[in-house]
């Protein structure tokens, strides 16, 4: 079923105007021998009704976070999304438009991106934000590429406590470039300033630290940032935007670049994408940023307006010398993040962060208490909304399975990424989780 | 009728103490934050976001939305972007809780329906491409290019071949050379002939044992199908290189011909273009890639495997280039692409391309005598007209025409691309427009070219503002709102 308009009579009239004998004649420039001599082998077309029924059946074969109670984290979180976010982002004028190349016909998007950028700079304490990248991991990789270009150095230093997927993406992106990836062990669950001090030197382009890190642990950011900067390396902070409701902003402890996964800011989980790559920097790095940037200017009557700016950084102008190859970004998710932050406001974000903190601390303590000595906190340093427990019996998979059987997405075994912590169990608690859900999880695991 | 107040920025509307969302009181023991977190990490105050009531937020963004042109409201013939109708049925499916509210780290056993859908999508894309192995992970076309070039680099590295160059025609999208550079290759430009096809002599000169990949867009950015494609593929393969097809223009050839059949070793799809995923004001897209069986071992992880026990994600692939993004893919966009393919089937897709090509050729026939199309009187799904003659005779530029079209209620075509056509207007009507719309657009162009140049230089006249001062924007960038900056006067 195609969404078509032209009646057979229209088509004849159009062919006549073109001077073509037939529809087939329109494809004359495709050599016969290259044409597909058969129909594509695809499933038969469904009507809208059949599609809807079939898709509902497929959806019913999944067990969603509305059916199961979600204690999963690891870079994607089940935060509350106010109704206005979905309602506003569903306006066709937003979601069926494209990159605002024609400013006069795209003022809505341009102003929304300008506001998004402003919200992100205020959230992070940075000077400049772009209008989005693909996701947290690719934003981190782009920040590292920026650092290599900006410093002319080739060493990239990061701790093992950085999200494993971010490290994998970085390794993929750097595989054929002149760069060296140095990964520092974090046996205590976070990067020790002394360890970083020994790893950085005049060849270090950047230090990339996640805070809270993959284990939910808060890193010693002020000390780490000053160590990086002492040897002239750029300090990249990968942050959880929700945590900035209560935590110090990266700009306040000296970060040069901030990257983040923006899924938490009003975007659905959707099995990993589309998500929102946040990237912001200090002013001197502005002209090296990848991606779209909306800027404010005036028209010839002096009226305020907005336009995509600093485009000489970009691929369509600079081609192989562009700061990145990115073209289509994640505009609709940036819009959603702007709406989310507008409706949450400073107090709402602070409440969300505080609830995550209280609840995750509560669950960590209760699980340990309820386990009768089997579970213990893995690391000493404070956590935000996620934490790692160690299972002295070494049967984390069984805990997760038991949880699932009782209706809980009960965290993930840390050994999936860290063989040295095969007894580690990673759980996350957002503001959406209730006391009874947490007690329910403890109760279903108590007898194990 | 315009609500000027509601379209002031969020920060001008902000009033201390207002809020749009209230969360429940804690149901677990609370404590002072400084008792739970070290002082050195704790913020002194919440971040200085805007403070608004919920109705403020709704009115603000609703009013902003009305200041956009969009496919739902306007003809949007933005060349190379395939701004076709975005079916509402696909939106509803993608938002089903059983598809939208899935965490990427859920056990495979709890997402069997979604994995089945994605597995079927990959199979359908492989069939359309004529290439057997698909990765659904890339987030957009450019990301698909980068991923594919990394696949090619891994392939040559494993074979012990030192290949450092990637070739692309001068008509290529800027993403092609930019992706080549990001993947660690040197980008080399191949000239086009005056007809817009690859200059085989120039290709021959630049083709050597150092060339890893030739990136080609076919149909190309002039909307022309390069009939030499098989010869090109033989030349490149003969030199040991690979052919990459930039799939931006797949809307012209669905079911007509297949990249794998005409010599491509790898390609990307733009699901947000060809398969109607909405463009979202600049994404999200999805740029799945399809590759030959030789290249399959290098595809990024994870892939979906079908076993007797059901579907599962495969992470352990020893030759894989690794991961290219945090999680599986832009699943929301992929679901919409699946809906599109399932509601079209083989005949529907062929009809899509046929009607897209019919619409483009019809529009070309209506305007070529006022805006010449240097590449000839036929095209595939789009064509590039030139305002060069108009510019020379009357001083009217492609930009003037583009801006004036906004006054007539049409989104502008892509302008000044590809760079090989002077004063280029790249027009792609898509199949989801009527003859009446195309006629109205052509009529508007006929009127515009007769209008006084002075009127056109200052177009648009009916929008909320006229042309922005781009030089000022770039020289003195204002990329976020500041209370202290003196604001230009309002009208």
């Amino acid at each position: 079923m195609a969404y078509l308009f032209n009646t057979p009579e229209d088509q004849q009239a159009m062919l006549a105007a073109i001077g073509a004998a037939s529809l087939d004649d329109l494809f004359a420039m495709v050599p016969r021998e290259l044409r597909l001599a058969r129909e594509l082998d695809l499933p038969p077309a469904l009507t809208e009704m059949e599609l809807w029924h079939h898709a509902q059946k497929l959806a019913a074969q999944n067990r969603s976070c509305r059916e199961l109670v979600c204690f999963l984290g690891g870079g994607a979180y089940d935060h509350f999304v106010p109704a206005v976010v979905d309602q506003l982002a569903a306006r066709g004028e937003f979601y069926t438009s494209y990159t605002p190349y024609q400013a006069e016909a795209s003022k809505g998007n341009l102003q929304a991106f300008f506001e998004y950028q402003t919200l992100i700079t205020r959230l992070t304490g940075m000077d400049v934000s772009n209008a989005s990248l693909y996701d947290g991991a690719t934003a981190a990789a782009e920040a590292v590429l920026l650092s290599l270009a900006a410093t002319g150095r080739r060493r990239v230093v990061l701790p093992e406590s950085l999200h494993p997927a971010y490290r994998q993406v970085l390794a993929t992106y750097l595989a054929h470039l002149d760069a060296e990836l140095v990964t520092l062990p974090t046996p205590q669950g976070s990067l020790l300033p002394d360890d970083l001090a020994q790893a950085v030197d005049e060849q270090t382009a950047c230090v990339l630290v996640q805070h809270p890190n993959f284990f939910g642990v808060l890193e010693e950011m002020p000390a780490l940032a000053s160590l990086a900067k002492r040897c002239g390396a750029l300090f990249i902070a990968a942050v959880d935007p929700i945590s900035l409701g209560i935590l110090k902003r990266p700009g306040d402890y000296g970060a040069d670049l901030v990257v983040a996964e923006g899924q938490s800011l009003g975007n659905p989980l959707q099995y990993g994408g589309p998500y929102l790559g946040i990237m912001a920097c200090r002013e001197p790095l502005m002209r090296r940023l990848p991606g779209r940037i909306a800027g404010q200017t005036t028209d010839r009557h002096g009226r305020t307006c907005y336009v995509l700016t600093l485009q000489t950084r970009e691929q369509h102008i600079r081609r192989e010398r562009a700061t990145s190859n990115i073209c289509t970004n994640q505009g609709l998710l940036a819009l959603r993040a702007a709406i989310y932050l507008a409706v949450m406001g400073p107090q709402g974000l602070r409440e969300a962060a505080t609830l995550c903190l209280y609840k995750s601390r509560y669950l960590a303590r209760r699980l340990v208490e309820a386990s009768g000595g089997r579970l213990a906190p893995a690391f000493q340093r404070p956590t935000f909304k996620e934490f790692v427990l160690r299972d002295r019996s070494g049967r984390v998979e069984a805990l997760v399975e038991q949880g699932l059987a009782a209706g809980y997405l009960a965290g993930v075994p840390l050994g999936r990424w860290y063989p040295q912590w095969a007894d580690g169990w990673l759980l996350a608690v957002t503001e959406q989780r209730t006391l009874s859900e947490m007690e329910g999880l403890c109760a279903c695991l108590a007898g194990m | 009728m315009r609500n000027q107040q509601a379209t002031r920025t969020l920060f001008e509307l902000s009033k201390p103490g207002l809020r749009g969302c209230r969360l429940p009181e804690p149901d677990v023991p609370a404590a002072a934050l400084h008792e739970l977190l070290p002082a050195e990490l704790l913020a002194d105050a919440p971040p200085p976001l805007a403070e608004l009531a919920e109705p403020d937020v709704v009115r603000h963004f609703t009013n902003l939305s009305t200041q956009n042109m969009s496919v739902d409201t306007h003809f949007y013939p933005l060349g190379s972007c395939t701004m076709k109708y975005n079916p509402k049925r696909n939106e509803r499916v993608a938002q089903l809780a059983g598809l939208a509210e899935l965490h990427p780290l859920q056990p495979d056993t709890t997402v069997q329906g979604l994995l089945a859908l994605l597995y079927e999508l990959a199979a359908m894309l492989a069939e359309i491409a004529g290439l057997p192995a698909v990765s659904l992970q890339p987030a957009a076309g450019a990301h698909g290019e980068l991923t594919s070039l990394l696949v090619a680099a891994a392939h040559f590295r494993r074979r012990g071949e030192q290949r450092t160059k990637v070739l692309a025609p001068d008509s290529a999208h800027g993403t092609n050379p930019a992706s080549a550079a990001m993947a660690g290759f040197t980008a080399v430009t191949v000239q086009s002939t005056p007809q817009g096809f690859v200059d085989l002599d120039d290709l021959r000169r630049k083709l050597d044992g150092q060339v890893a990949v030739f990136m080609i867009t076919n149909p190309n950015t002039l909307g022309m199908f390069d009939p030499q494609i098989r010869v090109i593929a033989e030349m490149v393969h003969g030199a040991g290189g690979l052919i990459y097809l930039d799939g931006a223009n797949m809307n012209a050839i669905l079911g007509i011909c297949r990249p794998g059949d005409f010599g491509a070793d790898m390609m990307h799809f733009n699901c947000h273009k060809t398969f109607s995923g909405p463009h979202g004001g600049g994404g999200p897209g999805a740029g799945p890639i399809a590759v030959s069986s030789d290249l399959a071992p290098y595809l990024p992880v994870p892939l979906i495997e079908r076993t007797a026990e059901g579907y599962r994600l495969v992470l352990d692939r020893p030759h894989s280039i690794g991961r290219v993004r945090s999680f599986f893919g832009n699943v929301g966009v992929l679901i919409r692409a699946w809906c599109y393919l399932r509601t079209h089937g083989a005949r529907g897709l062929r009809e899509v391309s046929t009607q897209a090509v019919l619409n483009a050729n019809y529009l070309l026939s209506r305007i070529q005598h006022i805006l010449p199309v240097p590449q000839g009187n036929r095209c595939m799904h789009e064509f590039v007209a030139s305002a060069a003659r108009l510019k020379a005779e009357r001083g009217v530029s492609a930009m003037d025409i583009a801006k004036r079209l906004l006054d007539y209620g049409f989104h502008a075509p892509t302008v000044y691309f590809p760079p090989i056509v002077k004063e280029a207007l790249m027009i792609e009507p898509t199949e989801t427009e009527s003859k009446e719309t195309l006629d109205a657009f052509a009529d508007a162009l006929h009127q515009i070219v007769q209008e006084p140049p002075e009127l056109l230089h200052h177009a648009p006249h009916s929008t909320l503002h006229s042309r922005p001062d781009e030089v000022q924007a770039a020289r003195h960038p204002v990329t976020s709102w500041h209370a202290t900056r003196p604001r230009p006067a309002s009208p």
Side-chain angles (χ1 to χ4, degrees):
Chain A
M1 140 86 212
Y3 304 93
L4 302 174
F5 286 93
N6 298 324
T7 64
E9 294 73 31
D10 287 336
Q11 296 184 31
Q12 285 312 314
M14 293 163 83
L15 287 170
I18 295 163
S22 65
L23 292 172
D24 187 59
D25 184 31
L26 295 173
F27 291 92
M29 72 179 91
V30 181
R32 283 269 160 216
E33 67 273 18
L34 300 185
R35 307 244 197 122
L36 190 64
R38 58 170 175 86
E39 254 182 24
L40 288 169
D41 182 12
L42 297 176
L46 303 176
T47 62
E48 176 177 5
M49 188 172 76
E50 291 166 311
L51 173 79
W52 178 236
H53 294 161
H54 180 47
Q56 282 178 299
K57 276 190 197 134
L58 285 173
Q61 291 167 28
N62 303 318
R63 303 187 69 193
S64 82
C65 294
R66 298 288 73 86
E67 175 197 343
L68 301 168
V69 181
C70 181
F71 289 101
L72 292 171
Y77 301 93
D78 184 27
H79 287 288
F80 179 68
V81 180
V84 293
V85 178
D86 286 328
Q87 289 285 317
L88 291 170
R91 288 190 64 91
E93 300 95 323
F94 279 132
Y95 83 83
T96 74
S97 61
Y98 197 27
T99 306
Y101 297 116
Q102 295 292 338
E104 304 89 331
S106 316
K107 178 162 183 279
N109 280 338
L110 281 163
Q111 184 173 329
F113 295 151
F114 181 78
E115 292 176 351
Y116 163 82
Q117 290 168 190
T118 307
L119 289 162
I120 295 301
T121 56
R122 290 177 170 217
L123 189 64
T124 58
M126 292 284 108
D127 301 321
V128 188
S129 163
N130 71 7
S132 75
L133 297 171
Y134 305 136
D135 66 5
T138 59
E142 291 273 13
V144 165
L145 294 178
L146 185 161
S147 304
L148 294 168
T151 60
R153 301 175 177 187
R154 57 182 300 277
R155 187 170 302 153
V156 177
V157 175
L158 48 83
E160 216 174 8
S161 55
L162 173 66
H163 195 303
Y166 288 29
R167 289 188 281 124
Q168 290 165 4
V169 169
L170 206 46
T172 305
Y173 271 53
L174 296 182
H176 303 274
L177 303 180
D178 179 28
E180 177 195 5
L181 205 50
V182 178
T183 305
L184 304 177
T186 53
Q188 299 176 43
S190 60
L191 178 57
L192 300 179
D194 285 349
D195 289 350
L196 181 63
Q198 300 201 351
V200 289
D201 60 19
E202 300 69 43
Q203 274 311 300
T204 307
C206 61
V207 176
L208 167 56
V209 182
Q210 188 181 11
H211 168 74
N213 66 26
F214 188 69
F215 315 124
V217 172
L218 299 175
E219 297 273 1
E220 298 177 57
M221 295 303 261
L224 300 173
S226 63
L227 282 168
K229 293 162 79 75
R230 194 190 296 166
C231 62
L234 296 176
F235 188 73
I236 308 168
V239 298
D240 173 349
I242 298 291
S243 75
L244 298 175
I246 54 175
L247 294 183
K248 205 165 253 175
R249 302 184 302 167
D252 299 333
Y253 51 75
D256 299 291
L257 285 150
V258 177
V259 294
E261 175 51 71
Q263 176 269 327
S264 291
L265 302 178
N267 291 304
L269 285 165
Q270 200 106 54
Y271 200 61
Y275 283 0
L276 170 64
I278 292 172
M279 184 163 181
C281 69
R282 293 193 182 279
E283 205 273 339
L285 297 171
M286 173 174 64
R287 286 171 197 275
R288 293 184 181 276
L289 271 182
R292 312 290 186 195
I293 298 176
Q296 193 184 59
T297 184
T298 51
D299 72 359
R300 67 196 174 93
H301 302 296
R303 290 177 292 207
T304 298
C305 56
Y306 305 90
V307 67
L308 291 178
T309 194
L310 302 176
Q311 294 194 63
T312 52
R313 300 165 297 115
E314 293 190 63
Q315 45 77 27
H316 60 287
I317 309 281
R318 193 58 68 84
R319 299 179 82 86
E320 67 273 16
R321 298 193 310 284
T323 55
S324 167
N325 69 339
I326 192 165
C327 181
T328 294
N329 52 17
Q330 305 284 113
L332 194 65
L333 293 99
L335 172 75
R336 292 178 66 99
I339 298 168
Y340 176 85
L341 289 172
V343 77
M344 293 295 280
Q347 289 305 330
L349 196 69
R350 189 177 181 82
E351 283 173 9
T354 305
L355 287 173
C356 290
L357 177 71
Y358 289 163
K359 294 186 181 209
S360 61
R361 294 290 179 91
Y362 179 81
L363 180 64
R365 196 180 74 232
R366 285 288 298 125
L367 280 170
V368 170
E369 283 171 7
S371 76
R374 176 174 167 179
L375 299 172
F379 307 117
Q380 298 308 310
R381 278 192 56 83
T383 56
F384 170 56
K385 72 182 178 196
E386 206 160 6
F387 55 87
V388 178
L389 299 179
R390 301 185 84 156
D391 174 9
R392 295 203 170 98
S393 73
R395 294 169 53 242
V396 184
E397 296 280 359
L399 290 170
V400 171
E401 279 166 29
Q402 176 85 3
L404 184 59
Y408 298 90
L409 288 168
V412 276
L414 198 60
R416 187 188 289 188
W417 302 276
Y418 298 88
Q420 70 270 41
W421 285 310
D423 59 351
W425 185 27
L426 181 70
L427 296 113
V429 187
T430 69
E431 77 281 8
Q432 297 222 74
R433 297 290 74 81
T434 63
L435 178 67
S436 69
E437 288 170 339
M438 293 190 280
E439 287 300 334
L441 177 66
C442 293
C444 93
L445 301 175
M448 288 190 73
Chain B
M1 237 179 77
R2 287 236 170 241
N3 181 347
Q4 297 291 351
Q5 184 204 351
T7 54
R8 286 157 60 193
T9 65
L10 289 173
F11 312 97
E12 292 161 293
L13 295 167
S14 174
K15 197 161 95 179
L18 291 186
R19 51 188 304 174
C21 183
R22 198 173 288 279
L23 292 169
E25 291 297 315
D27 55 2
V28 298
L33 290 177
H34 64 82
E35 288 171 23
L36 301 175
L37 295 169
E40 56 157 20
L41 299 180
L42 206 53
D44 301 329
L49 306 173
E51 296 176 72
L52 302 150
E54 181 175 318
D56 273 339
V57 177
V58 170
R59 193 167 288 165
H60 175 72
F61 284 101
T62 304
N63 276 289
L64 281 189
S65 77
T66 65
Q67 301 183 4
N68 284 340
M69 282 188 173
S70 67
V71 173
D72 275 2
T73 54
H74 294 82
F75 179 44
Y76 209 126
L78 192 65
S80 211
C81 299
T82 315
M83 302 299 290
K84 63 170 71 177
Y85 170 65
N86 306 129
K88 305 306 167 192
R89 64 189 66 169
N90 304 358
E91 295 301 306
R92 182 162 74 166
V93 168
Q95 287 156 21
L96 278 167
L99 296 174
E101 302 286 346
L102 301 176
H103 191 285
L105 298 179
Q106 281 188 221
D108 294 347
T109 54
T110 65
V111 291
Q112 287 295 302
L114 177 66
L115 294 182
L117 182 159
L118 294 171
Y119 186 86
E120 183 173 72
L121 173 64
M124 292 191 287
L125 294 177
E127 167 66 5
I128 295 166
L131 290 164
V134 169
S135 165
L136 297 175
Q137 288 195 38
H143 201 217
E145 293 173 18
L146 175 63
T147 302
S148 298
L149 291 176
L150 291 169
V151 163
H155 164 76
F156 289 120
R157 180 175 282 185
R158 183 159 165 231
R159 289 164 59 120
E161 293 183 43
Q162 291 281 328
R163 291 179 179 262
T164 56
K165 291 189 243 175
V166 166
L167 309 184
D170 50 11
S171 61
H173 297 108
T175 50
N176 288 186
S179 298
M182 252 178 118
F185 292 105
T186 304
V188 178
T189 301
V190 176
Q191 307 298 316
S192 298
T193 64
Q195 293 79 39
F197 298 131
V198 173
D199 181 334
L200 294 185
D201 291 332
D202 196 47
L203 175 61
R204 200 168 287 117
R205 273 193 294 279
K206 287 165 179 164
L207 199 54
D208 58 26
Q210 298 288 297
V211 172
V213 179
F214 181 55
M215 302 179 84
I216 184 166
T217 310
N218 201 23
N220 63 22
T221 57
L222 296 166
M224 303 293 282
F225 191 94
D226 195 329
Q228 318 168 104
I229 181 66
R230 191 153 277 163
V231 177
I232 293 168
E234 280 165 13
M235 285 169 66
V236 172
H237 289 153
L242 299 169
I243 296 281
Y244 180 80
L245 181 96
D246 178 331
N249 295 338
M250 284 301 287
N251 210 45
I253 58 169
L254 299 169
I256 306 286
C257 58
R258 307 193 304 169
D261 295 342
F262 60 67
D265 303 288
M266 37 186 187
M267 69 166 293
H268 76 257
F269 290 95
N270 297 86
C271 288
H272 46 299
K273 300 179 181 178
T274 317
F275 304 133
S276 80
H279 283 70
I289 58 171
V291 303
S292 67
S293 51
D294 283 353
L295 298 172
Y298 310 101
L299 287 177
V301 287
L303 286 178
I304 301 171
E305 186 180 73
R306 185 183 195 168
T307 71
E309 289 79 46
Y311 298 91
R312 68 180 198 101
L313 288 188
V314 182
L315 294 158
D316 180 26
R317 305 183 72 246
H319 300 297
S320 165
I321 61 167
R323 198 176 270 279
V324 294
R325 53 176 294 133
S326 301
F327 298 108
F328 184 83
N330 276 359
V331 173
V333 185
L334 297 169
I335 292 169
R336 290 169 174 86
W338 174 85
C339 290
Y340 189 82
L341 295 176
R342 286 304 318 261
T343 48
H344 278 76
R347 279 181 213 169
L349 288 184
R350 198 182 154 95
E351 189 72 2
V352 162
S353 286
T354 305
Q355 297 297 320
V357 172
L358 175 67
N359 275 359
N361 277 283
Y362 177 68
L363 193 52
L364 185 155
S365 77
R366 289 277 337 255
I367 68 169
Q368 63 177 329
H369 55 287
I370 53 165
L371 289 168
V373 177
Q375 275 62 50
N377 60 359
R378 286 292 179 84
C379 64
M380 296 292 282
H381 66 302
E382 67 184 353
F383 60 92
V384 180
S386 171
R389 193 175 73 197
L390 212 55
K391 174 97 177 172
E393 291 172 0
R394 304 184 62 218
V396 172
S397 67
M399 188 64 85
D400 292 341
I401 296 169
K403 295 299 187 190
R404 187 62 177 148
L405 278 167
L406 306 179
D407 286 330
Y408 282 81
F410 299 109
H411 195 280
T414 298
V415 286
Y416 300 107
F417 185 82
I420 57 171
V421 175
K422 284 188 182 137
E423 297 295 323
L425 288 149
M426 186 189 210
I427 301 173
E428 180 180 11
T430 84
E431 73 283 5
T432 62
E433 298 295 338
S434 65
K435 177 173 176 293
E436 288 76 11
T437 299
L438 304 181
D439 283 333
F441 181 76
D443 292 345
L445 282 173
H446 279 256
Q447 289 191 40
I448 289 170
V449 297
Q450 293 171 39
E451 288 181 326
E454 201 50 26
L455 180 76
L456 300 179
H457 296 329
H458 288 135
H461 300 281
S462 62
T463 47
L464 283 175
H465 60 79
S466 57
R467 293 185 206 185
D469 184 342
E470 299 196 16
V471 175
Q472 175 196 323
R475 281 210 187 128
H476 308 286
V478 179
T479 62
S480 58
W481 188 84
H482 293 278
T484 51
R485 183 170 288 112
R487 306 228 338 126
S490 286

